[in-house]
Amino acid sequence: MATTEHRPTERVLDILELLSNSEEGMTLTELAKALNAPKSSIMPLVHTMTARNFIYMQKDTLCYRIGVATYSVGVAYNNRKTSLQFIQQEMNNITALSNETCQLGIQSRNMVLYIAKKDSPQPIRLMSSVGKQLPLYCTGLGRALLAYKSEEEIRSLFPEVLTAYTPHTIATINDLLKELELTRQRGYAVEHEETNLMVNCIAVSLDYNNAPIAALSISIPTFRISESKEKEAVQILWEAKQHIETHFKMYGVDFGN
């Protein structure tokens, strides 16, 4: 993982990010490998984080997981009146109008981190979770975040050949650049069955100080999507985008990059 700030602090945050995205937890060896660091250098961090209950070790597997202190910090943030709460109010409205699942994501290196979700009331709906990360290149949310970056920035994030999650996943970085140009022309991003079969996403960026800091999407199963449904989703998202960005201008933003 690239180092841009204070190294020990970065590693603490990297450990929290890794464990928050791991359902089964990770051993010390797995953490060291993921961090590209010797076990001896991260062991003191892990011991301190365990002692403070930010992580805990499951004794039968020796795997570390997110601890109760991390949960408490998240609850403290959620209990404040935040810009995220305002967005969640808009997400409730989006789901009520579209009858589909609405998701919010931010960039985390070359991934999109899902930080909020409002489920569709439909009996068949998208199965996803807050805290999950997926590549920016093959998600609607990710493309909405990437669209206004320079070609140099985009190429620095990905290899020339991109990992395929389904037969429909975009294949190369040159294909991605073409898709991002279409995204800029449309004013919104689309993704059809590139991360999950039978799932399609339409997304818009949420901008602050002339830069995208998050993205908002509507996810629609293939058997419910149509040209008119997609147009309706775009209209709903654009109206929410205007409301949210007006809130940002008035009150600022307390999350994102």
Side-chain angles (χ1 to χ4, degrees), residues 48-103:
T48 301
M49 294 168 74
T50 302
R52 297 285 296 272
N53 294 319
F54 281 90
I55 63 176
Y56 75 95
M57 187 181 73
Q58 191 169 329
K59 292 183 179 180
D60 57 339
T61 63
L62 301 182
C63 286
Y64 290 92
R65 297 172 179 268
I66 288 293
V68 67
T70 304
Y71 171 77
S72 297
V73 170
V75 169
Y77 174 81
N78 197 49
N79 285 341
R80 293 172 48 237
K81 184 64 177 178
T82 65
S83 47
L84 179 57
Q85 287 179 320
F86 182 85
I87 295 172
Q88 288 174 316
Q89 292 173 3
E90 287 293 323
M91 292 173 71
N92 291 339
N93 188 49
I94 289 169
T95 295
L97 291 171
S98 67
N99 221 22
E100 302 292 352
T101 296
C102 180
Q103 298 189 98

Side-chain angles (χ1 to χ4, degrees), residues 94-133:
I94 289 169
T95 295
L97 291 171
S98 67
N99 221 22
E100 302 292 352
T101 296
C102 180
Q103 298 189 98
L104 177 71
I106 60 173
Q107 182 177 351
S108 177
R109 299 182 180 85
N110 63 353
M111 309 286 280
V112 58
L113 170 63
Y114 292 79
I115 63 172
K117 176 188 176 188
K118 177 63 179 176
D119 279 318
S120 164
Q122 301 266 23
I124 300 177
R125 57 180 185 254
L126 174 69
M127 296 302 295
S128 63
S129 58
V130 172
K132 185 176 182 178
Q133 296 188 52

Side-chain angles (χ1 to χ4, degrees), residues 8-201:
T9 306
E10 267 206 331
R11 282 187 171 166
V12 167
L13 298 176
D14 286 340
I15 290 167
L16 290 173
E17 285 186 354
L18 286 167
L19 295 182
S20 70
N21 205 42
S22 172
E23 293 183 6
E24 298 179 355
M26 300 176 71
T27 65
L28 184 64
T29 299
E30 290 169 337
L31 284 169
K33 184 177 180 181
L35 293 167
N36 193 26
K39 287 197 289 187
S40 59
S41 69
I42 66 169
M43 190 177 297
L45 302 177
V46 168
H47 284 174
T48 301
M49 294 168 74
T50 302
R52 297 285 296 272
N53 294 319
F54 281 90
I55 63 176
Y56 75 95
M57 187 181 73
Q58 191 169 329
K59 292 183 179 180
D60 57 339
T61 63
L62 301 182
C63 286
Y64 290 92
R65 297 172 179 268
I66 288 293
V68 67
T70 304
Y71 171 77
S72 297
V73 170
V75 169
Y77 174 81
N78 197 49
N79 285 341
R80 293 172 48 237
K81 184 64 177 178
T82 65
S83 47
L84 179 57
Q85 287 179 320
F86 182 85
I87 295 172
Q88 288 174 316
Q89 292 173 3
E90 287 293 323
M91 292 173 71
N92 291 339
N93 188 49
I94 289 169
T95 295
L97 291 171
S98 67
N99 221 22
E100 302 292 352
T101 296
C102 180
Q103 298 189 98
L104 177 71
I106 60 173
Q107 182 177 351
S108 177
R109 299 182 180 85
N110 63 353
M111 309 286 280
V112 58
L113 170 63
Y114 292 79
I115 63 172
K117 176 188 176 188
K118 177 63 179 176
D119 279 318
S120 164
Q122 301 266 23
I124 300 177
R125 57 180 185 254
L126 174 69
M127 296 302 295
S128 63
S129 58
V130 172
K132 185 176 182 178
Q133 296 188 52
L134 288 171
L136 291 164
Y137 64 82
C138 58
T139 56
L141 289 171
R143 289 175 184 170
L145 291 166
L146 286 173
Y148 297 97
K149 292 184 182 295
S150 68
E151 180 176 337
E152 182 181 7
E153 287 177 297
I154 294 164
R155 288 188 179 277
S156 72
L157 291 170
F158 309 108
E160 287 294 322
V161 178
L162 304 172
T163 300
Y165 287 79
T166 77
H168 307 289
T169 306
I170 204 161
T172 69
I173 198 163
N174 286 332
D175 292 334
L176 173 63
L177 291 168
K178 292 175 184 176
E179 180 60 32
L180 294 177
E181 176 59 31
L182 291 175
T183 299
R184 287 188 287 272
Q185 292 174 10
R186 286 189 301 255
Y188 62 93
V190 297
E191 175 253 310
H192 294 299
E193 300 188 327
E194 293 191 45
T195 56
N196 291 286
L197 292 174
M198 303 301 292
V199 177
N200 309 269
C201 288

